[in-house]
Amino acid sequence: MEFIKSNKFNIILIALALVIPFGVYPVFLMKVLCFGLFAAAFNLMLGFVGMLSFGHAAFLATGGYVTGYLMSNADLTPELGILCGTLASAVLGYLFGSLSVKREGIYFAMVTLALSQLLFFFFLQAPFTEGENGLQGIPRGKLFGFIDLNNNLSMYYFVLAVFLLGFWLIYRSVHSPFGQVLKAIRENEPRAISLGYSVRQYKLMAFVLSAALSGLAGSTKALVFQLESLTDAHWQMSGEVVLMTLVGGMGTIFGPLVGAAVVVGIENFFSGGELGTYIHIIMGLIFIICVLAFRNGIVGEFNKFVKNNF
Amino acid sequence: MSEQIILETRNLTKGFKGFTAVDNVNLKIQRGQIHALIGPNGAGKTTVFNLLTKYLTPSSGQILFKGQDITALEASAIAQLGLVRSFQISAVFPRLTVLENVRIALQRKEGNSFQFWKSDKVLERLNPRAEALLADVGLLDFAQATTLDLPYGRKRALELATTLALDPEMLLLDEPTQGMGHEDVAVVAALIKKVSAERTILMVEHNLHVVSQLADRITVLQRGAVLTEGDYATVSADPRVKEAYLGVAADEEVAA
C-alpha cells in the first residue's frame, strides 16, 4: 500500500505512459485515457459520496457536442474548445444536480436517468448535432495555435496531459477538506447533518465537479475520434461507466482507469472478430462475475491482497 | 424569566396518517439544566427529538430556541445555531479513524469545507484540539484506530466527543446509555454530568437509575402527550406514572 501511495510509483506510471505509444496503437490508448477519466469522474460520485448516477452519459455527450460544434464552426484552438465543452457540462451538472441530489438511492438514479434521456432526445432532434449521423470530421486543430494535433503521437501526449490534470484534480478533491466531508456523508449522512453540514450543497458540489470532469473526458474524446455521436448520450453509455467503475474497483483512485482499460480492451478485441455480435453478452457475463466473485473490483481486491499479505 | 428558557415548544403536534404520535406537547427547557424525557415505549420520545432537530417536520405547533422560531429551519441550520443531537444507534463515521471523526466536527467552523483544491493536510492543525477532546472521553489511545473496530461503549463515547467538538449550547441525547454494559453506563453518566456544567441537556433515557442521578427535571410522555412534569421525587411518586409504566418503573427502581 505504501508503495502505491509513494511518488516513485507515480513516476514509474507516468514514465510508462510516456513510452507506451511507441508500442501500442495511440488511438486505443487515448480511448482508454478518455474513458478512464470519465469513469474516475463518475467514481467521485459513486465511490466517494455513495451516489449512483445513471445519467452520466449526458455530461460526456454535452462536452463532446459542444466542443465538436465549436471546433467545426467557431475555429477555436483545441484547448479553448475543450474548456467550453467542460464548462457546458459543469452548467448542465448544476442543473441536473439541483434537481436530483434531493433524492437518494434508486430515486436519485432514476431522476438522473430520466434527465439524461430527456437530453438524449434533445440531441436527437436538435439541428446542430446532425441527429443520427452525429458530428463528423471534427478538426483537431492546433494546440495553442502552433502544435498540430493531427499527428496521433502529439495528440496522445495532449490527451495524457488532460488526463493527468483531471486525474490529479479528482485525487486532490478526494484528499481535501471537501473530500473529508464527502466521506463523512457517505459513511453516515444523518450524522453529518447533525454536525451542521448542509449535505445537499456538498452533494451538489461533488455532482458539478463530476459532471465537469465527465465533460472534459467527452470533449477530449470528440477530438481524438473527430466524431461525436448519439452513442455517447445513450443510456447504455451511463451503464458502461458503471461497469468500468465496478470492474476496476469503486472508491479506489486507480480502479476506474483499470476498469476502463479492461472494458475498452475487451470491446476492441471482440469488435473485429466473429464474436462481435456477442459483445453485450460477454460484457454482461463479466459484470455478473464481478458482482458475484470480487465485489471490490480489480484494484480493490489487489489492495486487499496487499494489505493482508504484506 | 423567559431568558432562562432556552428551548420551548408550543402545541407541538405530529400526525402520521391517522395516528397522532406527538400531541400538543408544550415543553420548556431551562438553561443549564439536565432535562429528561421519559415514558413507555411508543410514547413519542424519539419523535419529539426528531421534530426538535427537524429530522421530521411538525404537523403543527412551534419550536423556539433562544427565543428564535426555528420551526421552519433545516436540520443542518439548527445544528449551526448550537442545538446538536445524538442518535439512538451510535452515530459515528465507521470507516474513518477515531481522530478523523472528531476532526469532521471541528472542521465545520474552519470554513474550508468546500475547498476541494486544498490538501487535507491543512486539517492537521486541528489535531491537538481533537486529541484533547478524545482525552476527555478516554479515547486518546485509540486516536488512529478505525472507528469500525471500537467496542460499542467506546463508539458512544466517541460520538459524545464529536458532539462536544461543536461546543453546542444545548445537547439532545437520544438514549445515551442504550445497549451498554453496566460499567459503561456509569462512565457515560459521569461524562454527561461533566459536560452538563456549561450546557443545557435534554435527554431521552430508559435507564431510570441514570435519570434519577442526572436529571434536574423530568417530563413524562404517554401516547404522545405530556403526562406530568417535575423533579424525580415528584414524578416517581405520581401514581399515573406508575400506571403508565404498568408498574415497570417501580420494579426497575428496585432492580437498579
Side-chain angles (χ1 to χ4, degrees):
Chain A
M1 281 306 281
E2 284 310 307
F3 182 63
I4 293 175
K5 283 177 186 159
S6 71
N7 276 331
K8 250 186 217 161
F9 181 74
N10 292 332
I11 289 167
I12 292 173
L13 272 188
I14 292 172
L16 190 69
L18 287 174
V19 298
I20 197 170
F22 295 99
V24 184
Y25 184 47
V27 175
F28 170 75
L29 293 175
M30 289 189 272
K31 192 175 178 186
V32 169
L33 288 179
C34 289
F35 279 108
L37 182 58
F38 181 36
F42 171 81
N43 186 41
L44 189 61
M45 283 305 288
L46 180 65
F48 296 100
V49 198
M51 294 180 86
L52 172 63
S53 155
F54 211 80
H56 257 52
F59 309 119
L60 185 78
T62 299
Y65 275 121
V66 168
T67 303
Y69 183 80
L70 290 175
M71 291 300 291
S72 303
N73 297 290
D75 203 26
L76 290 184
T77 50
E79 72 281 1
L80 282 178
I82 287 176
L83 188 68
C84 291
T86 307
L87 284 177
S89 288
V91 171
L92 188 76
Y94 182 80
L95 282 175
F96 280 18
S98 308
L99 292 167
S100 62
V101 296
K102 291 171 190 162
R103 299 282 167 268
E104 282 166 39
I106 189 75
Y107 301 103
F108 172 74
M110 288 298 116
V111 173
T112 50
L113 173 63
L115 290 170
S116 76
Q117 283 301 94
L118 267 177
L119 195 74
F120 173 82
F121 287 107
F122 171 72
F123 282 147
L124 180 66
Q125 299 293 336
F128 65 88
T129 61
E130 313 261 330
E132 301 275 5
N133 295 330
L135 298 176
Q136 296 184 12
I138 299 167
R140 283 183 181 173
K142 289 190 165 129
L143 185 62
F144 307 121
F146 64 91
I147 303 170
D148 190 358
L149 293 179
N150 285 312
N151 177 336
N152 268 342
L153 213 52
S154 317
M155 188 67 196
Y156 172 79
Y157 289 117
F158 173 55
V159 173
L160 182 63
V162 169
F163 171 83
L164 289 175
L165 179 80
F167 212 67
W168 175 82
L169 192 65
I170 290 167
Y171 177 85
R172 177 42 72 237
S173 304
V174 168
H175 298 278
S176 70
F178 174 67
Q180 198 67 21
V181 178
L182 290 187
K183 277 176 222 162
I185 292 170
R186 179 191 69 190
E187 293 288 296
N188 192 336
E189 184 169 333
R191 181 52 168 165
I193 296 171
S194 83
L195 294 179
Y197 287 105
S198 4
V199 162
R200 269 183 212 165
Q201 287 177 30
Y202 288 88
K203 284 180 174 174
L204 180 59
M205 178 77 142
F207 196 90
V208 171
L209 265 178
S210 174
L213 288 161
S214 301
L216 178 65
S219 297
T220 314
K221 191 172 83 66
L223 287 191
V224 170
F225 291 99
Q226 305 186 276
L227 171 78
E228 181 59 34
S229 70
L230 286 168
T231 316
D232 282 358
H234 200 264
W235 63 265
Q236 279 188 350
M237 184 58 78
S238 298
E240 202 156 303
V241 75
V242 178
L243 178 69
M244 288 173 185
T245 308
L246 290 185
V247 168
M250 74 170 189
T252 63
I253 290 290
F254 286 104
L257 178 62
V258 173
V262 168
V263 171
V264 171
I266 289 173
E267 278 175 358
N268 269 31
F269 184 75
F270 286 112
S271 64
E274 285 176 16
L275 288 170
T277 43
Y278 298 107
I279 184 75
H280 290 299
I281 297 176
I282 296 164
M283 297 309 283
L285 282 174
I286 291 174
F287 188 71
I288 292 169
I289 292 167
C290 236
V291 171
L292 289 180
F294 52 110
R295 294 195 140 181
N296 298 315
I298 297 167
V299 174
E301 293 293 339
F302 176 77
N303 285 348
K304 214 165 93 182
F305 176 80
V306 172
K307 199 177 166 187
N308 290 340
N309 292 283
F310 294 97
Chain B
M1 184 61 198
S2 68
E3 276 188 10
Q4 289 304 316
I5 307 291
I6 185 163
L7 184 73
E8 183 179 355
T9 68
R10 292 181 184 159
N11 301 319
L12 192 65
T13 301
K14 176 69 184 177
F16 298 102
K17 288 186 182 167
F19 163 69
T20 310
V22 174
D23 190 5
N24 271 308
V25 169
N26 292 294
L27 286 175
K28 281 186 178 173
I29 316 294
Q30 300 252 354
R31 188 183 285 274
Q33 284 198 337
I34 298 182
H35 195 123
L37 205 53
I38 65 168
N41 278 330
K45 306 176 298 280
T46 296
T47 312
V48 168
F49 255 51
N50 286 335
L51 291 172
L52 290 177
T53 46
K54 291 311 292 291
Y55 282 71
L56 287 172
T57 308
S59 307
S60 64
Q62 264 188 317
I63 306 162
L64 291 104
F65 180 59
K66 293 190 280 184
Q68 180 189 351
D69 189 336
I70 59 166
T71 322
L73 292 184
E74 286 202 8
S76 57
I78 287 171
Q80 286 167 22
L81 285 177
L83 176 61
V84 178
R85 70 169 296 175
S86 73
F87 293 82
Q88 211 171 88
I89 301 157
S90 83
V92 291
F93 303 112
R95 281 181 290 173
L96 301 183
T97 67
V98 170
L99 186 78
E100 282 172 329
N101 262 267
V102 179
R103 229 165 51 179
I104 286 283
L106 291 171
Q107 189 190 329
R108 202 194 75 221
K109 286 180 185 159
E110 293 283 295
N112 60 7
S113 296
F114 277 108
Q115 297 177 354
F116 60 84
W117 57 88
K118 269 195 186 158
S119 166
D120 52 11
K121 291 211 164 55
V122 297
L123 296 174
E124 281 172 12
R125 66 164 176 260
L126 299 172
N127 285 1
R129 273 161 72 201
E131 281 161 4
L133 284 157
L134 286 176
D136 279 347
V137 298
L139 284 178
L140 190 54
D141 292 342
F142 300 90
Q144 296 307 326
T146 305
T147 307
L148 194 66
D149 303 331
L150 290 186
Y152 187 77
R154 294 222 157 93
K155 277 187 194 149
R156 300 240 54 160
L158 172 61
E159 189 190 345
L160 204 55
T162 309
T163 307
L164 291 174
L166 296 175
D167 197 17
E169 269 189 82
M170 181 164 178
L171 279 174
L172 301 182
L173 305 175
D174 195 356
E175 300 195 25
T177 66
Q178 195 242 350
M180 280 188 181
H182 223 71
E183 289 145 43
D184 283 337
V185 169
V187 171
V188 169
L191 255 173
I192 293 172
K193 188 77 199 161
K194 188 172 147 195
V195 303
S196 70
E198 310 112 40
R199 307 188 162 78
T200 313
I201 293 176
L202 174 64
M203 59 193 268
V204 168
E205 184 53 69
H206 272 306
N207 188 326
L208 292 181
H209 181 64
V210 172
V211 171
S212 71
Q213 280 183 333
L214 291 178
D216 299 306
R217 205 165 174 80
I218 297 164
T219 300
V220 186
L221 284 182
Q222 189 194 17
R223 285 189 225 109
V226 174
L227 185 67
T228 183
E229 198 184 301
D231 60 17
Y232 187 75
T234 319
V235 167
S236 59
D238 193 320
R240 288 175 305 166
V241 174
K242 285 185 179 162
E243 199 191 317
Y245 273 90
L246 290 170
V248 173
D251 290 349
E252 263 193 19
E253 206 180 341
V254 173

